[in-house]
Amino acid sequence: MPELPEVHTITTDLNKHLVGWDIAHVRLIDNYRVNLPADTFIESLEKKQIQNVERIGKNIVIRLPDELSLTIHLAMTGQTLIRSATFQRDKYERVIFTLINPQTHKQLELRFCDKRMFGKVQIIDKQGYNELKAKHGPEPINENLTPEKFLERLRLNKTVIKKQLLNQEAVAGLGNAYATDALWMAKIHPETLTTSLNVNMATVLLKACKEILLEGINNRGISMSDYVDAFGKKGSQQEHFRIYRQEKCRRCDMPVTIKEIAGRNTYYCEKCQEKDNQARLL
């Protein structure tokens, strides 16, 4: 599933290339389900100009006039692609936005494709936009997030740290791969209780989360199955995994343990991330 770096990459591409373009036509393929009646959805978007593209957590948010926003959540298999009008059809197209540059009259298509149809394409108003922002906690890459505040967010729920890192209301942007690698980098066992964390552990973990997310952004994301950027190109972060999907620990060469935590396969080193040794390791 695309995480912060992947959605950040697409959002940056869209913001760079599509701001100022008009939405000339919207087509829902095979009556693809959106959050409004099809006619209302289409009428609300056509003739609107793209003012800005931003990201809220793992949501792509295309800002439009009249305080409307078009939101796209990729879920597991979603793709958001900028294509020329004559480019060959993509697989699993669900929504096609025909865009026109009012200055050059050049035409493009923004295509939302989704093999498994778990993604969402929605129109939200100002209230919906504010609610979406309120649902997401601070991001580790936010320079204003201190270790103390990070610790406070992690302690919002008494649960294991791996599960809390995936909780978008506590801390936004992390998914399974990046959270797994960050915990290994910080030498924290994924089943450590959030209530047992201290500020030193939070400091090390925040640094690891920030480092791995920024590295993912620099490498334009993880491409192992469906994720590609807005131009259909793959990222390379999968070439830099620390412990995620690895067989041996890169620090001690011990076999990697795989356990399902919070419904996701979690990889960790029983030696480097041993619970009893965390105080010493940190």
Side-chain angles (χ1 to χ4, degrees):
M1 180 181 292
E3 304 176 25
L4 185 154
E6 291 75 42
V7 179
H8 181 93
T9 298
I10 294 172
T11 300
T12 302
D13 289 343
L14 299 185
N15 195 59
K16 180 178 179 180
H17 294 279
L18 298 185
V19 168
W21 287 63
D22 295 331
I23 302 175
H25 181 65
V26 180
R27 182 154 63 101
L28 304 178
I29 309 299
D30 296 329
N31 296 314
Y32 180 76
R33 186 175 179 180
V34 289
N35 67 321
L36 297 174
D39 289 345
T40 303
F41 181 87
I42 292 170
E43 291 173 5
S44 299
L45 295 175
E46 289 184 345
K47 300 181 181 179
K48 295 291 195 304
Q49 187 173 87
I50 297 174
Q51 298 182 331
N52 184 46
V53 186
E54 62 185 73
R55 178 182 56 77
I56 299 177
K58 302 177 187 179
N59 297 273
I60 300 166
V61 182
I62 300 175
R63 304 303 303 275
L64 304 169
D66 305 321
E67 298 189 295
L68 290 180
S69 297
L70 172 67
T71 66
I72 300 174
H73 193 288
L74 302 175
M76 295 182 66
T77 61
Q79 298 176 337
T80 302
L81 303 168
I82 300 173
R83 300 298 200 193
S84 68
T86 58
F87 193 87
Q88 66 186 24
R89 303 321 308 176
D90 289 288
K91 288 184 177 180
Y92 313 113
E93 292 176 345
R94 306 301 179 190
V95 188
I96 299 174
F97 306 90
T98 300
L99 309 177
I100 294 179
N101 187 312
Q103 305 299 322
T104 65
H105 303 292
K106 181 180 178 180
Q107 184 170 308
L108 289 174
E109 289 183 353
L110 181 63
R111 303 175 184 175
F112 174 70
C113 307
D114 190 5
K115 178 167 61 178
R116 299 185 67 180
M117 296 180 66
F118 291 151
K120 292 181 180 180
V121 180
Q122 300 181 328
I123 294 175
I124 58 175
D125 56 14
K126 181 179 179 180
Q127 179 180 344
Y129 174 84
N130 291 335
E131 290 174 352
L132 183 62
K133 293 200 75 170
K135 284 171 57 177
H136 289 79
E139 298 179 351
I141 61 173
N142 187 329
E143 293 296 333
N144 295 322
L145 182 60
T146 65
E148 292 78 13
K149 182 65 175 179
F150 184 56
L151 179 60
E152 180 183 318
R153 302 300 300 181
L154 295 178
R155 286 177 169 175
L156 285 176
N157 306 95
K158 183 178 180 180
T159 184
V160 297
I161 183 60
K162 173 65 186 301
K163 182 177 181 180
Q164 189 71 337
L165 287 177
L166 301 181
N167 179 356
Q168 299 303 295
E169 293 185 6
V171 181
L174 285 162
N176 191 37
Y178 293 100
T180 295
D181 276 356
L183 287 167
W184 178 85
M185 293 163 68
K187 299 180 181 179
I188 294 176
H189 193 286
E191 292 183 309
T192 300
L193 286 176
T194 54
T195 50
S196 70
L197 297 171
N198 57 44
V199 71
N200 291 331
M201 297 170 75
T203 299
V204 175
L205 182 55
L206 177 58
K207 180 181 178 182
C209 290
K210 184 177 298 186
E211 179 181 337
I212 199 68
L213 288 172
L214 291 176
E215 181 181 273
I217 290 171
N218 186 60
N219 291 322
R220 297 185 66 81
I222 296 169
S223 290
M224 293 190 300
S225 54
D226 298 282
Y227 167 73
V228 290
D229 67 17
F231 298 98
K233 296 180 180 180
K234 294 183 178 181
S236 61
Q237 182 61 23
Q238 65 275 8
E239 299 171 13
H240 305 277
F241 286 151
R242 303 305 200 279
I243 197 166
Y244 183 70
R245 294 207 173 190
Q246 303 304 296
E247 294 182 356
K248 290 187 177 182
C249 176
R250 293 174 55 177
R251 271 195 295 256
C252 69
D253 210 38
M254 286 281 290
V256 170
T257 299
I258 306 173
K259 184 175 182 179
E260 185 175 301
I261 301 174
R264 309 300 300 277
N265 280 342
T266 301
Y267 299 72
Y268 62 96
C269 175
E270 293 185 354
K271 180 179 179 181
C272 293
Q273 296 170 265
E274 186 179 358
K275 290 181 181 179
D276 294 340
N277 288 343
Q278 284 178 5
R280 174 179 60 80
L281 290 168
L282 291 172

